[in-house]
Amino acid sequence: MRNFLTKTAIALALLFLGTLLLDITISKGLLKMEDYRFQDYAAMLDGGMDNDILIMGNSRGKSHFDPFVIDSLLNVSSFCIGAGGYPINVQRIKYDLYCEHNKRPRVILQNIDHMTLSLIHDVRHQHQSEQFFPLVYDKLMRKELRSVGYTWKELYVPMLRYHGYQMVIKNGLLEALSIKHYVSNPAYKGHRAERGRWNGAELSKMSEQAIHLDEQAMAIFETYLDDCRQDSVKVVLVYSPMYSGALAKYTNLAEVKTYFKEAAERFDFPYLDYTENPISKDTANFCVSVHMNPTATKAFTRQLCKDLDSLGSILIE
């Protein structure tokens, strides 16, 4: 009986170690891929970045600010860590991860919109939730992931969080073993512009609605702004262009804009609103109502750079 228990314990230990090795291998492989879902995390974890400007926000933050244009026109180094599909609490987590491994930026361009002041309490099995899988081996992220739905099982039981993600497993493993190098929608310095012609199908189904201002999300947002102020990081709140036909559907948009403007004034940060910009009025500039195409993105970024330059040298000193 004792011999049986010993063999069983050894078998279970070997199974655990083998599964852990597989988990580590896949996770490292994902971070080697040229894939916008993982590239900014890989760069942050590598550490050593010293960017003048950090670009934050949701998917609009990731796609609407072109670092190549910003770097060229302002003579700075910029990087984008927008969290596609995720609101302010997850955006804050990404910022904390960046600062844990890299020098704080001088300036943050914080994209704001009707989706900023909401929360997501469980990131598991959400939009592109596989982006978080390789991060459980970072001490800070283990703590942060607990705050957005991860349990000890996902954090400490090897391969559990990969259940149901067969393609992610395969790609990560092949990449890690140098069998195949994956290049799939790569990002440039964290930025990936949306592509495609105008598609108004989603907008046609959209009805008038009020934007919910979540009090907990507002508290997180304001704490984030206050922390940046105390760290001498200048935050520029930027409401990037959105198709005017969609903006008209929000019955309390003025209230939302007033909140952002007053928050900027309270913390002594600039507020730039481009929702009335001519770009916002023409569907030719958009793929869908919330995402500009690459041509419009470059045009907007050039205009943004002019406006940032007019704010004075304090932004990049």
Side-chain angles (χ1 to χ4, degrees), residues 69-134:
V69 175
I70 293 171
D71 293 356
S72 300
L73 294 183
L74 296 181
N75 192 29
V76 296
S77 174
S78 62
F79 193 84
C80 177
I81 61 168
Y86 292 93
I88 189 62
N89 59 328
V90 177
Q91 294 172 33
R92 175 65 198 258
I93 287 172
K94 290 194 74 169
Y95 178 64
D96 289 344
L97 178 65
Y98 179 92
C99 293
E100 180 74 8
H101 297 280
N102 305 276
K103 187 176 179 180
R104 294 185 188 278
R106 296 183 177 90
V107 177
I108 293 175
L109 300 181
Q110 174 67 51
N111 186 80
I112 51 174
D113 53 41
H114 63 290
M115 297 175 283
T116 302
L117 298 177
S118 57
L119 294 177
I120 186 166
H121 298 286
D122 192 344
V123 300
R124 299 171 302 170
H125 310 297
Q126 298 291 338
H127 175 68
Q128 296 179 353
S129 56
E130 64 273 14
Q131 66 185 279
F132 304 110
F133 293 172

Side-chain angles (χ1 to χ4, degrees), residues 41 91-92 132-133 155 170 208 210 220 235 251 264 276 315:
Y41 288 111
Q91 294 172 33
R92 175 65 198 258
F132 304 110
F133 293 172
L155 294 175
K170 185 192 83 169
E208 287 193 349
I220 292 172
V235 181
T251 59
E276 298 297 326
L315 288 175

Side-chain angles (χ1 to χ4, degrees), residues 27-47 49 62 79-82 94 97-98 102 128 130-132 134-135 175 181-193:
S27 297
K28 288 185 175 181
L30 293 176
L31 294 173
K32 291 181 179 179
M33 294 168 57
E34 291 185 57
D35 186 313
Y36 74 98
R37 293 171 296 172
F38 306 106
Q39 283 178 294
D40 56 350
Y41 288 111
M44 285 189 280
L45 291 170
D46 281 346
M49 285 194 285
K62 195 171 192 66
F79 193 84
C80 177
I81 61 168
K94 290 194 74 169
L97 178 65
Y98 179 92
N102 305 276
Q128 296 179 353
E130 64 273 14
Q131 66 185 279
F132 304 110
L135 306 179
E175 180 75 52
H181 177 54
Y182 286 89
V183 180
S184 176
N185 296 315
Y188 172 75
K189 302 187 77 173
H191 164 73
R192 175 181 173 271

